[in-house]
Amino acid sequence: MNKKVTLIHGDGIGPEIVEVVKEIFAAANAPVEWENENAGQTTLDEKGELIPQSLISSLEKNKLGLKGPITTPVGKGFKSVNIQLRQRFDLYANVRPAKNIEGLESRFYNVDIVLFRENTEGLYSGLEFYDERLGIADSISRITDLGCERIVKAAFEFAVKHNRKKITLVHKANVLKLAGATLLKAGKKIAVDYPQIEMDDIIIDNACMQLVIRPERFDVLVTTNLFGDILSDLCAGLVGGLGVVPGANIGDDVAIFEAVHGTAPDIAGKGLANPTALLKSGIMMLNYMKENEVANRIENALHTVLKDKEKRTGDLGGKSNTSQFTQYIIEEMKANK
Ligand code: NAI
């Protein structure tokens, strides 16, 4: 039976890459029925609503979503839709794997990192105040025991399930004595239940340096919201960039899968977007649904096409536009039926 999934088309290149996922899922007979919804600049312009109630109801009902990128204005304007959805549905685990794709050139060839970023608190708690009289902006980074414990636990559970060996907590407890120590304390508490998994910790600045020198030494990383946001882009850069890495926002009740990249306004509407990251997010979603067979079939076809440089999209040095790239993947799936 098909599972209903809320599909958020997004802004910029969002609708273009969402269409690709729909086409490829249909060709693969993936057991998914899409419920089309939207949020962001597009719905704000069209309906005067940033996050329509129909989207909230659809996610409440389906508990599963795939999301195209959404515009967030810099310095002014509306609050990030991504952050609002993460907080509204308590999607506390932002999971971002960064793994080499065979045949795809990158800076390193032995990277297989999964980053667990706490997604609802820290500097992105939304506690910002500006005192015009004094010219002071305060952004409160709220870190809680509960928040740290559940993200650490999610990482350990993932490690057990996927046969990973080591978890590294990334923090700044040397300076942020209280907030940093909260993550470390959670690590110590949760690790007791998982003696088979090794755990260590590293200060964020050192982690950045080690990641760009010896990324192969890392396995599963766990960190707070802001550090995770930055580190996940860094990790994407290790394996070929934002165009090829997926992401998931997972809570106890609802999960929304999305590419890490943004709306790419510079190429929107030109048919040039690379749909790989959103397609990989869709593949992650299928695995989450335990539809591993169809997930593997799509992923194998995608990886085979990516091996051929000519067939890639322009951002990866290839000659294909979005539609040609999509057809190559569909042909590859048909050839290997
Ligand atoms: P961006 O990721 O949209 O673009 C950065 C560069 O990468 C651009 O040159 C773009 O053309 C290229 N690029 C990104 N994705 C691509 C793809 N799939 N195929 C080919 N090229 C691709 O980052 P930027 O410009 O900083 O942000 C644009 C907007 O996206 C902003 O409003 C930002 O807030 C939003 N954004 C939304 C995210 C989300 O919804 N999850 C995440 C990051 C940014």
Side-chain angles (χ1 to χ4, degrees):
M1 211 180 81
N2 285 354
K3 167 92 184 82
K4 274 197 179 170
V5 175
T6 304
L7 188 60
I8 307 165
H9 291 242
D11 301 316
I13 59 168
E16 300 167 50
I17 56 178
V18 157
E19 277 312 312
V20 172
V21 175
K22 280 172 98 169
E23 209 178 324
I24 291 175
F25 271 42
N29 253 330
V32 164
E33 187 188 330
W34 302 111
E35 209 164 88
N36 294 300
E37 286 292 338
N38 214 352
Q41 192 67 56
T42 312
T43 55
L44 191 63
D45 294 343
E46 286 171 3
K47 304 183 187 170
E49 286 178 295
L50 192 58
I51 304 182
Q53 182 53 43
S54 62
L55 167 60
I56 300 291
S57 306
S58 174
L59 284 167
E60 277 172 351
K61 177 169 57 80
N62 298 332
K63 318 245 179 247
L64 206 52
L66 183 71
K67 187 186 132 311
I70 291 179
T71 305
T72 306
V74 174
K76 57 182 167 48
F78 55 80
K79 197 176 152 190
S80 161
V81 171
N82 299 320
I83 291 181
Q84 289 191 59
L85 288 176
R86 290 166 191 170
Q87 290 180 341
R88 168 70 180 73
F89 290 101
D90 202 18
L91 308 174
Y92 60 86
N94 189 312
V95 186
R96 292 184 171 182
K99 184 175 179 186
N100 288 109
I101 296 175
E102 201 193 325
L104 192 72
E105 302 79 13
S106 70
R107 290 188 175 273
F108 298 93
Y109 290 97
N110 43 8
V111 179
D112 185 5
I113 296 170
V114 180
L115 179 89
F116 278 73
R117 158 190 171 193
E118 202 295 321
N119 219 8
T120 56
E121 47 181 44
L123 254 183
Y124 299 174
S125 298
L127 303 170
E128 283 205 291
F129 312 96
Y130 182 64
D131 187 325
E132 257 180 55
R133 204 170 37 92
L134 299 174
I136 295 176
D138 289 316
S139 301
I140 295 177
S141 169
R142 173 164 296 163
I143 306 279
T144 66
D145 287 333
L146 171 73
C148 290
E149 284 171 20
R150 64 185 185 170
I151 190 70
V152 173
K153 190 168 169 42
F156 271 103
E157 283 293 320
F158 172 89
V160 170
K161 217 163 152 191
H162 295 88
N163 208 13
R164 313 289 294 220
K165 305 278 175 265
K166 187 170 158 192
I167 288 185
T168 303
L169 306 178
V170 187
H171 61 88
K172 187 73 187 173
N174 52 333
V175 175
L176 304 172
K177 303 276 186 207
L178 299 176
T182 306
L183 181 69
L184 290 176
K185 190 172 68 175
K188 260 194 188 150
K189 180 172 168 188
I190 303 293
V192 173
D193 296 330
Y194 303 87
Q196 71 277 40
I197 313 276
E198 190 189 335
M199 187 184 77
D200 66 0
D201 69 274
I202 185 168
I203 292 171
I204 175 74
D205 21 350
N206 187 18
C208 291
M209 188 195 64
Q210 300 284 346
L211 275 165
V212 297
I213 292 179
R214 285 196 303 140
E216 67 280 0
R217 66 160 282 202
F218 293 101
D219 187 350
V220 177
L221 302 178
V222 188
T223 192
T224 45
N225 209 338
L226 174 72
F227 294 160
D229 193 7
I230 298 166
L231 274 188
S232 64
D233 275 30
L234 189 157
C235 290
L238 301 174
V239 296
L242 286 181
V244 297
V245 289
N249 303 284
I250 301 176
D252 290 332
D253 193 34
V254 174
I256 301 177
F257 293 77
E258 64 175 338
V260 177
H261 63 72
T263 57
D266 50 335
I267 57 163
K270 295 184 180 163
L272 299 174
N274 179 2
T276 298
L278 190 67
L279 185 58
K280 278 187 137 300
S281 307
I283 292 166
M284 238 178 129
M285 183 183 81
L286 288 170
N287 284 320
Y288 175 88
M289 293 162 62
K290 302 197 169 54
E291 296 292 346
N292 301 332
E293 191 273 325
V294 65
N296 291 343
R297 196 145 38 88
I298 298 173
E299 188 161 60
N300 289 341
L302 169 68
H303 287 184
T304 304
V305 172
L306 284 172
K307 269 187 207 160
D308 186 341
K309 191 167 180 182
E310 297 268 304
K311 290 183 178 172
R312 296 177 199 157
T313 46
D315 56 308
L316 297 178
K319 295 203 171 123
S320 295
N321 58 31
T322 312
S323 144
Q324 289 161 333
F325 182 71
T326 308
Q327 291 318 311
Y328 285 132
I329 297 170
I330 292 174
E331 281 164 23
E332 186 58 39
M333 282 193 309
K334 281 189 186 149
N336 284 299
K337 239 182 175 173

